Amino acid sequence: MATVVPPVTQDATSSNGPTAIVFMNMGGPSTTGEVGDFLSRLFADADLIPLGRLQSYLGPLIAARRTGKIQKQYSAIGGGSPIRKWSEYQSSEMCKILDKLSPSTAPHKPYVAFRYAAPLTEEMYARLLADGFGNGKGGRAVAFTQYPQYSCSTTGSSLNELWKWRTRLEGKDAGPGAITWSVIDRWPVHSGLVEAFARNVEAQLATYPEERRKDVVLLFSAHSLPMSVVNRGDTYPAEVAATVYAVMQRLRLSNPYRLCWQSQVGPSAWLGAQTSDTVAAYVKQGQTDLVLIPIAFTSDHIETLYELDQEVIHEAGSPGVKRAESLNGNPVFIQALADIAAAHLQSGEACSRQMRLRCQGCKSERCLQSKAFFMREQMELGSVV
């Protein structure tokens, strides 16, 4: 069920509170009946899956053709994605900690905004307004991406959507009574994130006999990107690699490891090597002790529960091929989220310096406008923080 957030007012609170903390992610269908709409939104997003001038024609066509197959996959993992459940739990628990870490911006109110499934960005924004933010009352909100590594196709797309609905619901030049936004746009090497990943890896390694443990190959798996996005200058591959190396440093390089990529769609070139091919190749070579680590996901969803667990691991046919647990309700991870948010609120920054720099091959007007919006918010934060 959705987390119930009581209405707030901009008085009788701490000096700068209340503060809305909005968890942003791609989302997933909670039931098999929502799969069609989810896929339609996903394939209509040129930031995520660029299909060129025929996007409006090809997107719905691809979505319709894939709906039946994807519905069966969601049925196989329990009838829907758990990502909403985990996102609402993580955001709620994080805000409890954040109230103690940053009392001057408390109370912190949790919200979830998904790009392709309920609660959609426009639904979240309507709730913010109904709860007493904006509409001439002002208030502070933080868009907290749940993609630790930035990509124009994920975090960038979510922020473009947020900017669009802010403009539609509050106006392009809404003035001092509008919500003041800032964004936590990336956190690939935060020590708490690294620690949470490392502990999950150590827990899975402990299931192997001691004499084999040091030779287990660690396979970090992240969602792939079309090469057209990579060649445009997207920072995602470098930031994923940074997370991987930070985790391995924490593990003191205890095991051999590789980074591979999953979830490619369509015939165009995507970033590789593919996770499924990598596992099959190592098993064929006789390397049958492998731990898969979903390094770019903060909770379980179809890419872990079906693609990794029921396809890649099942097809490997080896009991030595396993997966590290996802972050989900990991208390180390939730503490890390609170630490990241507290540091952001204390910094007074609207966004990171990295976000202000466009990809060298970027030609998106939406990207340009949304980045300009968050940079303008820096001036508003001067009177809020």
Side-chain angles (χ1 to χ4, degrees), residues 3 84-94 329 334:
T3 302
R84 180 171 184 171
K85 176 192 76 172
W86 284 122
S87 296
E88 291 177 340
Y89 176 81
Q90 292 164 345
S91 61
S92 177
E93 292 301 303
M94 184 215 70
I334 292 173

Side-chain angles (χ1 to χ4, degrees), residues 163 355 366-377:
W163 166 76
M355 184 180 152
R366 282 190 354 131
C367 176
L368 175 64
Q369 293 297 326
S370 67
K371 285 180 183 291
F373 164 70
F374 284 107
M375 286 188 279
R376 287 195 303 271
E377 291 294 272

Side-chain angles (χ1 to χ4, degrees), residues 134-154:
N135 280 334
K137 301 174 184 178
R140 174 79 188 274
V142 177
F144 193 167
T145 180
Q146 292 306 293
Y147 306 101
Q149 306 90 3
Y150 184 92
S151 172
C152 298
S153 62
T154 53

Side-chain angles (χ1 to χ4, degrees), residues 266-279:
S268 62
W270 284 62
L271 184 63
Q274 291 189 33
T275 300
S276 56
D277 293 345
T278 300
V279 171

Side-chain angles (χ1 to χ4, degrees), residues 10-27:
Q10 302 301 314
D11 53 14
T13 61
S14 56
S15 58
N16 290 319
T19 305
I21 308 293
V22 181
F23 273 31
M24 308 194 81
N25 210 326
M26 72 183 299

Side-chain angles (χ1 to χ4, degrees), residues 140 182-183 344 346-353 356 378 381:
R140 174 79 188 274
S182 63
V183 56
H344 173 76
Q346 186 176 9
S347 75
E349 289 188 347
C351 61
S352 72
R353 290 186 177 273
R356 301 173 194 180
Q378 187 66 62
L381 283 172

